[in-house]
């Protein structure tokens, strides 16, 4: 069953749920799934609705045009999508392969509601992995001595893939601010949740020395502020004194894979709305 998805963010107003539902009813739309949330602090209303596409008595384009008057009246930020139009996913990675391999395998098994169009890396280590899954691979090295030119080449490579969403699957380069702005709300990153306590190299070794009891991962949208974008998903696993740094790293990588896949899937299913620097996730 195909669905159209309507996502709304707007100032709170009386009767919003009824107004939107009535509008859908007027076009014979059958609501398959509906969620809404009121952010009391910001006085902002959020809604996600799935409509059975076959139930509408008009085209999606006509329905979209008709909804403009409602959206304007209530000052809505909104978007509507056709779930049958799969989003184009570009994976960016460096040397670590666990997240890249996990996403490629999920795509191979048709677990992702999206189409992986390529793997872009600053190293060649992931090329064989991409080839095995029959996914286009592109390498753009980033060197300190030619960084400006290399970043320009990377930007061109990204544009050539024409992605709807970019997944930084342990890509160990900072994304320039202009790219963050161009793909705002469309770049997803994953990192361990030791930040800001254990920044830099060997965080698991230092966490083990410190005797941490929880390790985890954070999936978030990328902004110009490094690792401070709106959080989509997080998860943790408990560790104890018997776990070595290597044990913790393995468990941490497992959590990273699961958390990134969940966060990406929420995005692909249009379940995420942002408000300032946080998210509403209708999971």
């Amino acid at each position: 069953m195909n669905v159209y998805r309507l996502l709304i963010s707007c100032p709170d107003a009386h009767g919003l749920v009824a107004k939107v539902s009535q509008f859908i009813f007027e076009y014979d739309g059958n609501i398959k799934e509906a969620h809404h949330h009121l952010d009391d602090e910001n006085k902002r209303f959020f809604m996600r609705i799935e409509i059975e596409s076959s139930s509408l008595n008009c085209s999606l384009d006509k329905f979209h045009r008709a909804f403009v008057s409602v959206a304007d009246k209530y000052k809505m930020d909104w978007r509507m999508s056709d779930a049958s139009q799969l989003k184009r996913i570009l994976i960016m990675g460096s040397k670590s392969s666990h997240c890249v391999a996990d996403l490629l395998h999920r795509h191979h098994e048709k677990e992702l509601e999206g189409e992986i169009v390529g793997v872009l890396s600053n190293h060649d280590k992931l090329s064989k992995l991409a080839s095995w899954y029959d996914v286009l691979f592109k390498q753009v090295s980033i060197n300190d001595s030619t960084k400006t030119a290399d970043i320009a080449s990377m930007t061109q490579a990204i544009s050539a893939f024409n992605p709807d969403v970019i997944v930084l699957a342990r890509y160990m380069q900072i994304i320039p601010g202009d790219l963050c702005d161009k793909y705002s709300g469309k770049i997803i990153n994953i990192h361990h949740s030791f930040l800001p306590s254990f920044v830099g190299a060997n965080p698991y070794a230092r966490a083990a020395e410190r005797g941490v009891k929880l390790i985890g991962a954070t999936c978030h949208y990328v902004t110009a502020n490094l690792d401070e974008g709106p959080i989509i998903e997080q998860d943790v696993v408990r560790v104890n004194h018997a776990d070595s740094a290597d044990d913790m790293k393995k468990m941490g990588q497992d959590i990273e894979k699961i958390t990134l896949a969940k966060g990406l899937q929420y995005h692909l299913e249009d379940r995420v709305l942002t408000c300032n620097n946080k998210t509403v996730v209708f999971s």
Side-chain angles (χ1 to χ4, degrees):
M1 180 188 301
N2 188 41
V3 296
Y4 299 140
R5 292 171 181 149
L6 175 61
L7 279 80
I8 297 168
S9 169
C10 64
D12 186 33
H14 183 70
L16 279 169
V17 174
K19 183 65 178 179
V20 174
S21 299
Q22 179 62 32
F23 178 87
I24 296 171
F25 174 76
E26 289 171 1
Y27 287 87
D28 293 335
N30 185 41
I31 296 175
K32 180 175 179 290
E33 183 178 323
H35 300 273
H36 55 84
H37 169 70
L38 173 61
D39 184 331
D40 284 323
E41 182 178 351
N42 293 289
K43 300 302 179 187
R44 197 156 185 88
F45 178 80
F46 302 88
M47 176 179 278
R48 178 187 183 275
I49 293 180
E50 287 191 352
I51 307 163
E52 290 182 22
S53 57
S54 60
S55 67
L56 289 179
N57 59 22
C58 65
S59 67
L60 177 61
D61 185 60
K62 181 178 180 180
F63 185 82
H64 189 281
R65 292 198 306 271
F67 191 74
V68 170
S69 60
V70 177
D72 289 347
K73 179 179 179 179
Y74 292 98
K75 298 181 174 59
M76 293 178 178
D77 294 325
W78 66 288
R79 66 182 186 270
M80 191 175 295
S81 64
D82 182 344
S84 68
Q85 302 299 310
L86 298 180
K87 293 180 176 63
R88 295 169 59 85
I89 306 165
L90 173 61
I91 299 175
M92 294 180 66
S94 290
K95 292 182 178 180
S96 296
S97 62
H98 58 289
C99 286
V100 177
D102 182 71
L103 293 178
L104 287 171
H105 189 70
R106 290 175 188 270
H107 178 254
H108 178 74
E109 294 297 320
K110 303 186 184 304
E111 295 178 10
L112 293 178
E113 190 179 294
E115 185 69 25
I116 294 178
V117 295
V119 174
L120 177 61
S121 178
N122 55 325
H123 298 281
D124 65 356
K125 183 178 179 181
L126 302 175
S127 61
K128 290 183 179 179
L129 184 59
S131 177
W132 195 91
Y133 283 100
D134 198 24
V135 171
L136 183 62
F137 177 82
K138 175 73 174 179
Q139 180 186 352
V140 178
S141 300
I142 307 293
N143 302 292
D144 290 338
S145 59
T146 56
K147 195 160 192 174
T148 300
D150 293 343
I151 292 295
S153 297
M154 180 192 73
T155 301
Q156 291 175 357
I158 291 173
S159 296
F161 281 108
N162 189 28
D164 296 308
V165 57
I166 300 168
V167 184
L168 306 185
R170 301 300 293 162
Y171 182 70
M172 305 307 289
Q173 295 288 327
I174 296 175
I175 303 300
D178 58 340
L179 270 180
C180 293
D181 293 337
K182 180 179 180 179
Y183 295 99
S184 178
K186 296 180 179 180
I187 307 178
I188 295 174
N189 188 32
I190 187 72
H191 59 71
H192 59 77
S193 290
F194 293 142
L195 298 174
S197 299
F198 305 110
V199 298
N202 300 318
Y204 288 100
R206 285 179 288 137
E209 292 172 359
R210 183 66 178 83
V212 301
K213 305 305 180 190
L214 290 172
I215 58 175
T218 295
C219 176
H220 65 92
Y221 287 120
V222 173
T223 65
N225 295 322
L226 185 63
D227 293 329
E228 293 184 11
I231 294 171
I232 306 169
E233 175 70 0
Q234 290 180 303
D235 203 353
V236 295
V237 61
R238 181 167 288 279
V239 297
N240 62 36
H241 58 274
D243 294 311
S244 68
D246 286 341
D247 293 332
M248 292 171 57
K249 183 176 181 180
K250 291 174 184 176
M251 288 187 283
Q253 288 180 341
D254 284 342
I255 291 294
E256 287 175 6
K257 291 186 292 186
I258 294 169
T259 304
L260 179 58
K262 282 185 179 179
L264 175 59
Q265 189 71 344
Y266 290 152
H267 178 89
L268 296 174
E269 294 178 358
D270 299 306
R271 294 186 178 277
V272 188
L273 288 161
T274 58
C275 179
N276 299 325
N277 199 45
K278 66 179 182 180
T279 60
V280 174
V281 182
F282 292 120
S283 59

